[in-house]
């Protein structure tokens, strides 16, 4: 279903020969058939952002998009003026097929950094995708497959609002850091919303979801999240409900990224409570989520709380005031660290579930935040030592 | 030789039964036999710093120490008041053996966080070490072995100044982050120096060495670097020469830590030039050194410059102003990234040497900085998934 779950959208996913994997679907097209063409986007803050990010950030700025074309098999990042021209050419091709202007077409790319795309294949693929456009379930599924790289499964979401729908797809498995942990994501809705509401909902939704997951602390050059609204349901969405649903869609997709993190054998939820502020809680959660040593311990089924508190200890006091001797840590419900020291025995913790819950109470206030990460495994190293090298 | 290379020092390394490894030397004693007892120390900024760090930071504050006792096999970190009392008891034991006060004895511990030490064994070990004290080569070597944990080899240094000597030992292999990447280090000298010069030389020396290496981005609770001066040479050191030599000793020991980084198959030197300031160069170097993706690529002998520039791209412009399109990257002398895009082909880079040189020119100024890191291997994960779990 994915992006075609919402009315007013057609999609396609085709094999264009861009990916090094023979026959893999590697080009997706998502078209907003209207009546509205409202859109919003958030993008990587990376200073080496890719050509398609530079292009898409510009064209979505006015709050409108007619379509998005996405490819795997090449990031078109660090490719200079020639790379930028490839994004422009791609947008122009899609625009001519749809009878609109290039300014209405967003472009997303993912794959190896530093190489130009095989543009002829992208343009031929755009024609094939255009010919395959359909608003059915299979078309949405095809699109969600076409954006996968090291992902082992497609990641999609479908939600029902009051009289309208939200659908979405995301790709992402490695190079996932909290700002902005996504790679590529397209969320569609048939609700009738203004560009302002779309922007507000997407910004708020990503800040507590995609910005709070961390597979490997590595920020991508290509991260893009787009929200497209067709208005095809004819229903004006209640702003609060709509924002809540967009956040829920983002949360579902972010959780699926963690569930498919490169080589991961455990999904780790880190919740920090008792913080002086949400920012303090978030800083502590992110510090713990970034610890390679902890992530290795978890992969070895070791609830090593020493590696949790030593990570907490790196957060400056002005960012997160707390007293080390008041901190408690529970892993999977067992309080193995109390008053900043040893609590119940680590052997009491059941580490067999894939999901591991780390609950940290700073006992320094009422604010809290949750971040997600993955464990660090042999398989992660294997994937990233050998990826298209 | 290690710490006994300088005159006026005796040392010992004994097996006290603290380590889980049967028969491993796990307790070291370094005594300053004078005539001076000048000392300086730098310590981890971690807020969960260990009991021995709390003790040693206090007693070295006056610029004088008579001896240092160090143990592997347990960090005595996050052990509360009971742990602190263990450090006090240990210092008092050594003081009584040497006929001095506990305030003259520094204590260092390394090993698993969160467990108390077997104090009876530590105290009995102190007696054995005291009995074994010697100023010869073997005694220094024994001490350098006794502080090893996941280290695969002892790390020592010996340098000659104008009429005086500097010796040193360090342990450290994992949980090595730039602030302060050391674990435990003792540097000795027979130069006649003031506490002020000792402090200044140690602070300056560590800032450009131990603070610029990064094995895994994980900061320890126990990091301690101590400098002890006996004055036994009778030579008043020239301040500039002395500072330069202490920095050289720190650099040698820091380089040895990188050479023995957990599971490492490549030692990676990252030099950032053309920066607007040294801080800017350092921030860029550290960002690259912290990239798990790059470190995996290097372990796979892949000079993946996309992962270098995507890490550079995370450094905020106010910290390091540069134009992405002016950045060049050389790996082992081959310019594989030019104008922020692809340069010469990656296949031209010879990745067979253990040492990998990454030279980044920001073309934004005249400042530079060098940081060292290791690659990220299967073996690192293996060591840290299974470490005393």
């Amino acid at each position: 279903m994915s992006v075609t779950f919402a009315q007013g959208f057609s999609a396609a996913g085709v094999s264009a020969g861009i990916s090094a994997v023979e026959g893999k679907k590697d080009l997706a097209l998502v078209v907003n058939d209207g009546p509205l063409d409202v859109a919003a986007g958030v993008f990587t803050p990376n200073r080496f952002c890719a050509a398609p990010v530079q292009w898409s950030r510009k064209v979505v700025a006015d709050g409108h998009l007619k379509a998005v074309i996405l490819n795997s098999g090449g990031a078109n990042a660090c490719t200079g003026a020639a790379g930028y021209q490839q994004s422009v050419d791609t947008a122009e091709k899609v625009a001519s097929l749809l009878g609109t202007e290039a300014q209405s077409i967003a472009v997303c790319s993912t794959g190896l950094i530093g190489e130009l795309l095989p543009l002829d294949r992208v343009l031929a693929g755009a024609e094939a995708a255009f010919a395959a456009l359909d608003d059915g379930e299979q078309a949405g599924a095809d699109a969600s497959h076409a954006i996968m790289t090291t992902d082992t499964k497609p990641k999609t979401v479908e939600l029902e609002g009051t009289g309208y729908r939200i659908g979405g797809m995301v790709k992402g498995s490695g190079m996932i850091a909290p700002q902005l942990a996504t790679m590529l994501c397209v969320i569609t809705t048939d609700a009738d919303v203004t560009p302002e509401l779309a922007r507000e909902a997407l910004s708020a939704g990503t800040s507590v979801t995609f910005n709070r997951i961390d597979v490997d602390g590595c920020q991508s050059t290509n991260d893009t999240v787009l929200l497209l609204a067709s208005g095809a349901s004819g229903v004006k969405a209640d702003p609060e409900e709509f924002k809540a649903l967009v956040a829920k869609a983002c949360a579902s997709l972010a959780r699926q990224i963690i569930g498919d993190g490169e080589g991961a054998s455990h999904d780790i939820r880190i919740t920090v409570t008792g913080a002086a502020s949400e920012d303090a809680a978030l800083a502590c959660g992110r510090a713990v989520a970034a610890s390679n040593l902890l992530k290795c311990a978890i992969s070895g089924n070791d609830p090593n709380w020493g590696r949790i508190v030593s990570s907490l200890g790196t957060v400056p006091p002005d960012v997160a005031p707390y007293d080390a001797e008041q901190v408690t840590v529970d892993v999977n419900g067992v309080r193995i660290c109390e008053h900043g020291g040893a609590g119940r025995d680590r052997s009491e913790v059941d580490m067999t579930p894939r999901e591991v819950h780390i609950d940290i109470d700073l006992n320094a206030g009422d604010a809290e935040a949750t971040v997600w990460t993955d464990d660090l495994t042999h398989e992660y190293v294997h994937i990233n030592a050998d990826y298209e090298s």
Side-chain angles (χ1 to χ4, degrees), chain A residues 92-239:
Chain A
E92 284 179 347
K93 177 69 178 186
V94 174
S96 77
L97 290 165
L98 295 173
T100 182
E101 293 180 350
Q103 313 299 327
S104 300
I105 313 297
V107 179
C108 301
S109 300
T110 180
L112 196 65
I113 295 171
E115 292 179 9
L116 288 167
L117 296 171
L119 186 63
D120 51 340
R121 296 184 182 191
V122 173
L123 301 184
E127 286 188 17
F130 176 72
L133 278 175
D134 188 85
D135 63 2
E137 200 167 315
Q138 187 60 46
D142 287 350
S144 66
H145 275 89
I147 59 175
M148 291 165 57
T149 55
T150 55
D151 309 64
T152 66
K153 47 195 168 195
K155 302 167 184 69
T156 62
V157 67
E158 290 99 29
L159 295 173
E160 298 262 9
T162 306
Y164 64 92
R165 291 175 157 186
I166 290 179
M169 65 179 186
V170 72
K171 70 79 52 185
S173 184
M175 209 178 243
I176 299 294
Q179 279 300 342
L180 167 77
T182 316
M183 301 300 287
L184 306 182
C185 175
V186 179
I187 296 170
T188 55
T189 181
D190 48 29
D192 179 342
V193 296
T194 62
E196 291 67 35
L197 176 56
R199 194 176 299 129
E200 203 181 322
L202 190 64
S203 168
T206 53
S207 71
V208 293
T209 56
F210 293 123
N211 279 354
R212 295 191 182 182
I213 61 175
D214 183 347
V215 171
D216 51 17
C218 291
Q219 187 187 74
S220 159
T221 50
N222 288 55
D223 293 329
T224 301
V225 188
L226 295 170
L227 170 62
L228 310 178
S230 70
S233 69
V235 174
K236 276 197 193 298
D238 170 73

Side-chain angles (χ1 to χ4, degrees), chain A residues 134-381:
Chain A
D134 188 85
D135 63 2
E137 200 167 315
Q138 187 60 46
D142 287 350
S144 66
H145 275 89
I147 59 175
M148 291 165 57
T149 55
T150 55
D151 309 64
T152 66
K153 47 195 168 195
K155 302 167 184 69
T156 62
V157 67
E158 290 99 29
L159 295 173
E160 298 262 9
T162 306
Y164 64 92
R165 291 175 157 186
I166 290 179
M169 65 179 186
V170 72
K171 70 79 52 185
S173 184
M175 209 178 243
I176 299 294
Q179 279 300 342
L180 167 77
T182 316
M183 301 300 287
L184 306 182
C185 175
V186 179
I187 296 170
T188 55
T189 181
D190 48 29
D192 179 342
V193 296
T194 62
E196 291 67 35
L197 176 56
R199 194 176 299 129
E200 203 181 322
L202 190 64
S203 168
T206 53
S207 71
V208 293
T209 56
F210 293 123
N211 279 354
R212 295 191 182 182
I213 61 175
D214 183 347
V215 171
D216 51 17
C218 291
Q219 187 187 74
S220 159
T221 50
N222 288 55
D223 293 329
T224 301
V225 188
L226 295 170
L227 170 62
L228 310 178
S230 70
S233 69
V235 174
K236 276 197 193 298
D238 170 73
E240 292 314 309
E241 185 195 61
F242 183 71
K243 283 191 269 187
L245 281 176
V246 169
K248 193 173 173 186
C250 290
S252 168
L253 293 170
R255 179 67 187 83
Q256 292 177 61
I257 288 176
I258 289 296
D260 195 25
E262 285 175 348
S265 63
H266 285 295
D267 306 341
I268 309 170
R269 173 182 63 65
I270 302 162
T271 298
V272 179
T273 58
S277 68
E278 188 179 352
D279 283 350
L282 194 55
C284 290
R286 284 181 176 168
V288 174
S291 169
N292 279 352
L293 282 173
L294 174 64
K295 289 149 75 106
C296 285
I298 300 290
S299 80
N301 289 323
D302 175 10
N304 193 318
W305 64 265
R307 295 177 181 177
I308 296 171
V309 298
S310 62
S311 302
L312 283 179
T314 64
V315 179
D318 58 327
V319 174
Y322 67 78
D323 175 355
E325 298 197 353
Q326 295 301 317
V327 171
T328 66
V329 179
D330 292 36
V331 177
N332 287 349
V334 178
R335 180 146 305 176
I336 51 175
C337 170
E338 196 148 26
H339 299 304
R344 284 166 60 191
D345 196 83
R346 294 190 293 173
S347 63
E348 293 180 41
V349 181
D350 177 10
M351 293 291 288
T352 51
R354 179 171 173 105
E355 202 166 301
V356 174
H357 295 171
I358 297 176
D359 292 287
I360 298 161
D361 191 343
L362 299 176
N363 281 303
D366 296 321
E368 62 177 88
T370 293
V371 301
W372 283 88
T373 189
D374 287 302
D375 56 354
L376 176 55
T377 65
H378 292 262
E379 188 59 18
Y380 175 87
V381 176

Side-chain angles (χ1 to χ4, degrees), chain A residues 43-58 71 74-85 87 107-115 117 175 183-184 219-224:
Chain A
F43 301 90
T44 182
N46 198 294
R47 293 163 75 184
F48 281 85
C49 70
V53 169
Q54 297 172 38
W55 169 261
S56 297
R57 183 183 277 141
K58 195 172 73 171
N71 74 273
N76 194 11
C78 306
T79 45
Y84 188 76
Q85 191 57 47
S87 292
V107 179
C108 301
S109 300
T110 180
L112 196 65
I113 295 171
E115 292 179 9
L117 296 171
M175 209 178 243
M183 301 300 287
L184 306 182
Q219 187 187 74
S220 159
T221 50
N222 288 55
D223 293 329
T224 301

